[in-house]
Amino acid sequence: MIRNLLATTALAALVASGAHAQSTTAPAPSAPAVQQPGAAPVRAEGSIVTNIIGESVYNGTADDAENIGKVTDVVFDKDGQAKSVIIGVGGFLGVGMKNVAFDYDKLQWAEKNGDRWLVARTTKEELTAQAEFDTKPYAPAPAAPTAAPTAPATTNTAQNPVDMNAAPTEPVKRADGNLATNIIGETVYNGTGDDAQNIGSVNDIVLTKEGKAQSLIIGVGGFLGIGAKNVPYDFNKAKWAERNGDRWLVAQTTKEELQAQPDFNRKAYDPLPATTASNAPPATAPAAATAPDQTKTAAIDKSALTEMPVGEIRVNDLKGTTVYGANDAKVGVIGDVVLTPDKKPDAVIVDVGGFLGIGAKEVAVGMDNLKFMTDKNGKRYLYTTFTKQQLEAQTAYDKGSYAQKRDQQRMIMR
């Protein structure tokens, strides 16, 4: 089943009237950055959606700035202009998190110590007090039901009882725009005919510095995402079409034409690297026989990290967290979280070994005594006392039998 989409620029009339929209000629946007072999790095003025979704939001840039939430989506109007970001605020391990809209134009990127911070001049309390963002107007409109065959006439005139107190169902008012998460990941076709071909999938959206959607980044070729080439395609040329009750994303091009384009240069949209201050004092030689700083291991300055209360961690935030073991050696990555029947976290699933995620062993580590740390940018680290060999020797996690064999499959840090 193709994931359904709603209107963006070319689909606005389709959503409103059920007819295909007639596109109008618009000025050609400046081309997004592409990677030129041997060329010096260039900086792009705009941004890409995947650098925004998932980003922690702070209420300032001072040393006491607080993490007040995380971006979960971007809302576009019918012309492809970003008008809001959706910020997830509060909750416990993702349960009870509230999604609220915040004006895109009021967001600021700020540089701090060579890092890029996403800043919203508001508070967690002000965000929590807002109404919950309603995604239903952006969900696909249900397909029109097929008329059922007419039943033969009968002499039975009885009618089904009617609940006179039931409130009439209110139709959902459709939104003219779209959500970024409804676009990213969508399959792209080269037409709507029976011979239409799947030519790629959307991996990102490029925004101008004013927040206008400029290009879709389409991944083409490769196998299971490995070896795919990412190329830009004009956002305004993408069409949305109805077919058998589904909405198709159509690009009037071919896989060969996409593969012939230069690679999209994602690095141009990454934060600038930290620079060394020209007035920094010269380094001095360390005193003889100085003991190594035990807070600096695995290339992470632990003295700069702060312990994060478990109550402030959401399930979705745990996934992808790097896991360190004995001597602070990296031993794996959190791939999932096991919840109890009452939705409380019971264990994290650590992916150990493998190559590029293939062949990794899943090991359940109980939440007991785990120590999560975070840096000033909200990146999380899990420190344990296990060695990689201990994790590899542990009974593998099996979703189907975990409830019955929890004691055998669940490691606990003492």
Side-chain angles (χ1 to χ4, degrees), residues 42-81:
V42 297
R43 309 308 307 176
E45 291 186 331
S47 57
I48 51 180
V49 166
T50 57
N51 274 354
I52 300 174
I53 294 177
E55 187 74 16
S56 295
V57 182
Y58 295 82
N59 61 356
T61 57
D63 292 338
D64 59 349
E66 297 180 349
N67 181 337
I68 58 176
K70 177 171 287 190
V71 177
T72 60
D73 216 331
V74 178
V75 182
F76 295 103
D77 65 16
K78 63 183 179 65
D79 298 315
Q81 178 68 43

Side-chain angles (χ1 to χ4, degrees), residues 362-382:
E362 293 184 328
V363 178
V365 177
M367 294 292 292
D368 317 65
N369 304 319
L370 292 187
K371 186 176 183 181
F372 290 92
M373 307 291 287
T374 182
D375 61 20
K376 62 181 180 295
N377 295 320
K379 185 175 181 180
R380 294 170 178 81
Y381 308 84
L382 170 59

Side-chain angles (χ1 to χ4, degrees), residues 31-288:
V34 294
Q35 183 65 54
Q36 300 293 344
V42 297
R43 309 308 307 176
E45 291 186 331
S47 57
I48 51 180
V49 166
T50 57
N51 274 354
I52 300 174
I53 294 177
E55 187 74 16
S56 295
V57 182
Y58 295 82
N59 61 356
T61 57
D63 292 338
D64 59 349
E66 297 180 349
N67 181 337
I68 58 176
K70 177 171 287 190
V71 177
T72 60
D73 216 331
V74 178
V75 182
F76 295 103
D77 65 16
K78 63 183 179 65
D79 298 315
Q81 178 68 43
K83 63 179 183 179
S84 304
V85 293
I86 305 305
I87 300 177
V89 60
F92 174 72
L93 291 172
V95 179
M97 181 180 69
K98 185 175 185 180
N99 286 305
V100 300
F102 186 83
D103 191 340
Y104 182 90
D105 292 334
K106 292 182 180 179
L107 277 179
Q108 299 175 338
W109 285 107
E111 295 283 344
K112 185 175 174 68
N113 301 328
D115 291 324
R116 188 168 60 172
W117 285 31
L118 191 55
V119 178
R121 300 293 179 179
T122 185
T123 66
K124 182 179 291 187
E125 292 72 24
E126 289 173 343
L127 292 176
T128 305
Q130 290 190 37
E132 181 95 19
F133 176 72
D134 185 8
T135 61
K136 291 194 290 294
Y138 296 89
T146 303
T150 304
T154 65
T155 57
N156 184 6
T157 59
Q159 298 182 3
N160 293 329
V162 176
D163 184 358
M164 302 302 294
N165 296 319
T169 302
E170 291 290 337
V172 176
K173 183 179 179 181
R174 314 312 304 175
D176 286 336
N178 208 341
L179 302 179
T181 54
N182 280 351
I183 302 173
I184 295 176
E186 183 64 24
T187 301
V188 183
Y189 293 84
N190 62 356
T192 58
D194 294 336
D195 58 348
Q197 295 179 343
N198 175 343
I199 59 175
S201 59
V202 179
N203 291 333
D204 217 328
I205 304 171
V206 180
L207 306 179
T208 67
K209 63 181 180 179
E210 292 81 18
K212 184 72 178 288
Q214 176 182 4
S215 302
L216 299 175
I217 302 304
I218 300 177
V220 58
F223 177 70
L224 294 176
I226 300 175
K229 184 177 185 179
N230 287 303
V231 298
Y233 185 82
D234 190 341
F235 185 89
N236 289 322
K237 291 182 179 179
K239 308 292 183 183
W240 304 96
E242 294 277 356
R243 181 177 169 84
N244 300 329
D246 288 328
R247 288 191 172 88
W248 284 30
L249 176 54
V250 178
Q252 298 295 338
T253 183
T254 65
K255 182 179 290 187
E256 291 71 26
E257 289 173 342
L258 291 177
Q259 289 176 324
Q261 292 190 39
D263 278 308
F264 171 67
N265 183 15
R266 180 187 174 91
K267 292 182 180 179
Y269 297 86
D270 289 341
L272 287 169
T275 55
T276 303
S278 58
N279 59 352
T284 57

